[in-house]
Structure formats: C-alpha cells, structure tokens
Amino acid sequence: MEVTIFTDEQKQAARFAKAMGHPVRMYVLDLLNKQSCCYSGDLSDILPIAKSTLSQHLKELKDAGLIQGEIEAPKVKYCINKENWAKAQKLFQAFLEY
Amino acid sequence: MEVTIFTDEQKQAARFAKAMGHPVRMYVLDLLNKQSCCYSGDLSDILPIAKSTLSQHLKELKDAGLIQGEIEAPKVKYCINKENWAKAQKLFQAFLEY
DNA sequence: ATCTTTGTTCGTAATTTAACGAACAATCAT
DNA sequence: ATGATTGTTCGTTAAATTACGAACAAAGAT
C-alpha cells in the first residue's frame, strides 16, 4: 500500500536525481554523455576508487535506468540509456523552468 | 586532503542532485518553484509525514542551498533560493544537453 | 501570566549507502 | 590445459539517511 501524494513525474525525477547524487556517478554520466560510451576499465584507471566500488556505482546508474552495459568480452562497454536519458532531460527541463 | 578528480561543477551538480533525490524534497521544490514561497505548515498539512521529518527534509534543502527560510513569527516562510536555483539550472542544462 | 500555535531539536531505531579486499566467473591468449 | 585480464559478487564495516514521537523554544493571543 502506497500513500501517493507524489506524481509519477516527481517520483521518477527523484529517482534519477538520487542516482546523480554522487560525484563519481556524475563523472561517469558526464563522460558517457560526451563520448557516448566507454569501458569500465577506462573509468577504473581514472577514478581513485576500488574497482568493486566503481562496479557498485555503475550498477546504481544501471538500476536507475540512466546507463546500460553490454558485454564485449572480456570487457564491458557502458553507454547512456538514451531512452531514459531523454526522459530525464524532459523531466528536469520541465522542473527547472519556471 | 582531497583527491580531486572531479570538477567543481560535477561536485556541485551532485550536491544539488542529492538534495533532489527524494520524493518529498522534489515535491517541495516543485511547489516552491510554482508559487515561489510557502509556509512549512501548509506542507505539513499536505504531506503524510511527521512534522519533524518534514523539518529535516527542509533543512537538507536549505543546507544544499536550494531553498531559504525566513521567520514570519510564528510561522516560517520558505522560498526558493533564487541565486542557487539559477546555478542549478545552468549546471543541469549544460549537463543534460549534448 | 498562561495558553496555543508553529516549527526545530533531540534521542532513537531501521535501513540504505559507500567503501574495501577477497573470492569468483568468464573470456581470451599461450 | 593454464594463465592473464576484466568485471561482478560477497562479506564486512562505518557512516549517512529516513523516520518517528517527545521535548523544547519562540511568538502571539487571551
């Protein structure tokens, strides 16, 4: 049972925002947004965190729907999830405009 | 000592995003964005949460710089922090565009 | 001076998040 | 068949988040 005072838009926007709410995840999104795709290993080389931690962050972005990963063995290529990215754009633009 | 791989923009955007990452806080921002200001009590009437919880959420939005509260005794009037809101707009627009 | 209204702060509990290293799985190269 | 590379999963720990009710503080009304 869910008390639903909030619109779907608010809930979805909050979900996206939460996923963006960490510097590492912002960094990843920023990078993917610029070059569309990258390998997990490239990120691991750059970012000063354990690879398991990075994997966790990537999972969160994936669970929120903002990115997607496809296996290019033995690597994994991560890309922006364009459909949901577009959704996020719409939500935030509507939200930020007044 | 801070390992600084992240740009100030990324850190600031993550900070804002984190503050937006909860339905209650999105709701509040949405409302304030539409009508510019409101009293804490009005929110308390609408939202199905304890007033202490609401107060906590408002504090987080305040700490992130997205809203500001001024005392109109015995009430408190909350408004969007326009300066920082503009900053958030810029950051997210730059981020969301490609 | 006392009571009421309004909102914050405090104390507490349950859950989630963030981080690490070790272990594991999958694939490619030798 | 063995070893190297790449990333995820597991187990664990510390810290932060979310939530509540009770207590408190400040101001206005009686």
Side-chain angles (χ1 to χ4, degrees), chain B:
Chain B
M1 194 59 174
E2 238 212 297
V3 180
T4 177
I5 281 289
F6 311 115
T7 65
D8 287 347
E9 282 76 17
Q10 285 165 346
K11 285 186 278 188
Q12 182 61 76
R15 183 82 184 78
F16 285 147
K18 190 179 179 188
M20 295 191 283
H22 189 287
V24 165
R25 297 196 291 267
M26 275 305 289
Y27 182 95
V28 171
L29 288 173
D30 230 351
L31 193 76
L32 290 185
N33 199 27
K34 274 177 192 129
Q35 61 183 239
S36 89
C37 288
C38 80
Y39 295 103
S40 176
D42 303 340
L43 294 167
S44 198
D45 291 341
I46 301 166
L47 295 169
I49 57 174
K51 60 184 178 157
S52 54
T53 305
L54 174 60
S55 199
Q56 241 178 115
H57 283 301
L58 292 172
K59 180 168 162 35
E60 277 176 74
L61 288 171
K62 215 168 20 175
D63 289 349
L66 290 173
I67 67 172
Q68 59 200 151
E70 69 181 275
I71 294 164
E72 276 191 15
K75 299 187 177 187
V76 177
K77 191 171 76 171
Y78 280 102
C79 307
I80 290 286
N81 181 322
K82 289 189 182 175
E83 188 184 324
N84 287 327
W85 188 257
K87 205 189 281 181
Q89 284 180 311
K90 263 191 197 161
L91 282 172
F92 281 101
Q93 274 162 15
F95 174 70
L96 290 164
E97 270 158 26
Y98 39 169

Side-chain angles (χ1 to χ4, degrees), chain A residues 35-84:
Chain A
Q35 61 185 238
S36 89
C37 288
C38 79
Y39 294 102
S40 176
D42 303 340
L43 293 168
S44 199
D45 292 341
I46 301 165
L47 295 169
I49 57 175
K51 59 183 178 157
S52 55
T53 304
L54 173 60
S55 199
Q56 239 179 120
H57 283 302
L58 292 172
K59 180 169 162 34
E60 277 176 76
L61 288 172
K62 215 168 21 176
D63 289 349
L66 290 172
I67 68 171
Q68 59 200 151
E70 71 180 277
I71 296 164
E72 276 189 16
K75 300 188 176 185
V76 176
K77 190 171 76 171
Y78 280 102
C79 307
I80 289 285
N81 180 323
K82 289 190 182 173
E83 188 185 323
N84 286 327

